[in-house]
Amino acid sequence: MSEPGGAPAFYGDLAPWWPLISAPDEYAEEAAFAAELLAGAQPPTRTVLELGSGGGNNAHHLQQRFAMTLVDLSEQMLDVSRALNPDCEHLQGDMRTLRLGREFDAVFVHDAIEYMTTEDDLRAAVATAYAHCRPGGVAVLVPDDIAENFEPSTEHGGRDAADGRGVRYLSWSTDPDPADTTTVTEYAFLLRAPDGSVQVAHDTHTLGLFARETWLRVLGEAGFEARSVAEVTSEDRLPREFFVGRRP
């Protein structure tokens, strides 16, 4: 997840705890589904730019098929990803304004795209994807929710480390104003240090929420040939919609 919008502590001071909050093995199935869409470039995909790469959990799986360049706004999260994915290129940057001056076979943006809270932000991020996607290449964007399927929810999780550290968290997602383009997720963390002491942290995330039509329109306006693809998943949750753009 880590992208613009108020620099949540999740991606700053709490970044070293990320492997205990969200583990790479939890991403295997979704990354495999994304890989099939990313592989749709002509000629075949070899290089992939991931925007908002966070702790690198998706890249951990995708690098088995593609040469990955990972970009995130948070240097702390990039440090986490470097430890997990030492063979990947890591760069700091904002997905709304990044310009590397080179093109890739495919561009991937996972749920970090949800930190685009206005249509202007979304349009800027899609323009970045287009600018880095070669002709014949593809872009794959994966919001957790779209306006048609958002429902208030809670989640909990966390795990322990061999060094005695541990995390337990609770998240609570709501839509305080259905008339705007944002939702809010509140996080509460219990963080146990190796000496057994426990601290409590709270973090608020404001996320963008757009209708399917908006996603497809913004991709089309950027120059992509756009479509939506329903995720196939064995997890007990609503399948996500993957938005796929092909650059002519």
Side-chain angles (χ1 to χ4, degrees):
M1 287 184 330
S2 51
E3 266 304 309
F10 211 7
Y11 310 126
D13 293 343
L14 297 181
W17 298 91
W18 176 254
L20 300 182
I21 296 169
S22 185
D25 58 4
E26 298 171 357
Y27 290 66
E29 183 181 67
E30 188 176 358
F33 186 82
E36 291 305 311
L37 297 175
L38 291 166
Q42 294 297 329
T45 303
R46 184 181 64 85
T47 60
V48 175
L49 171 67
E50 183 177 357
L51 302 173
S53 54
N57 287 348
N58 277 298
H60 184 66
H61 303 282
L62 294 174
Q63 67 180 321
Q64 298 173 25
R65 294 185 62 174
F66 312 117
M68 301 293 299
T69 295
L70 309 182
V71 175
D72 199 84
L73 191 62
S74 165
E75 277 290 354
Q76 294 96 322
M77 291 297 281
L78 287 170
D79 285 342
V80 174
S81 180
R82 288 183 183 105
L84 179 65
N85 305 305
D87 294 330
C88 294
E89 179 183 17
H90 289 79
L91 301 168
Q92 193 275 339
D94 186 324
M95 70 167 69
R96 296 167 296 187
T97 57
L98 180 77
R99 294 295 184 271
L100 296 178
R102 51 190 165 118
E103 294 178 339
F104 298 78
D105 299 326
V107 179
F108 180 54
V109 196
H110 195 240
D111 52 9
I113 194 65
E114 292 192 311
Y115 289 91
M116 306 298 103
T117 58
T118 68
E119 192 170 319
D120 284 345
D121 279 344
L122 182 61
R123 190 175 292 108
V126 170
T128 297
Y130 188 86
H132 292 89
C133 187
R134 64 159 172 82
V138 296
V140 178
L141 295 81
V142 193
D144 276 342
D145 299 290
I146 60 174
E148 287 85 348
N149 62 24
F150 176 83
E151 295 181 357
S153 63
T154 59
E155 295 182 5
H156 62 89
R159 60 183 62 199
D160 301 322
D163 63 3
R165 293 183 306 141
V167 173
R168 297 297 182 271
Y169 73 87
L170 172 69
S171 69
W172 181 16
S173 298
T174 62
D175 187 1
D177 183 0
D180 69 11
T181 60
T182 62
T183 64
V184 175
T185 298
E186 304 284 355
Y187 287 92
F189 300 96
L190 293 172
L191 309 168
R192 187 188 65 212
D195 64 4
S197 62
V198 175
Q199 61 175 306
V200 178
H202 167 244
D203 208 16
T204 300
H205 296 231
T206 301
L207 305 170
L209 185 69
F210 302 98
R212 181 184 300 108
E213 180 277 332
T214 301
W215 282 97
L216 295 174
R217 174 171 50 80
V218 169
L219 282 162
E221 290 172 351
F224 286 112
E225 298 171 349
R227 62 190 175 102
S228 66
V229 179
E231 177 189 19
V232 178
T233 178
S234 64
E235 296 181 20
D236 184 19
R237 59 171 174 78
L238 188 70
R240 297 182 176 95
E241 286 206 32
F242 283 55
F243 291 94
V244 181
R246 178 185 176 276
R247 178 170 177 176

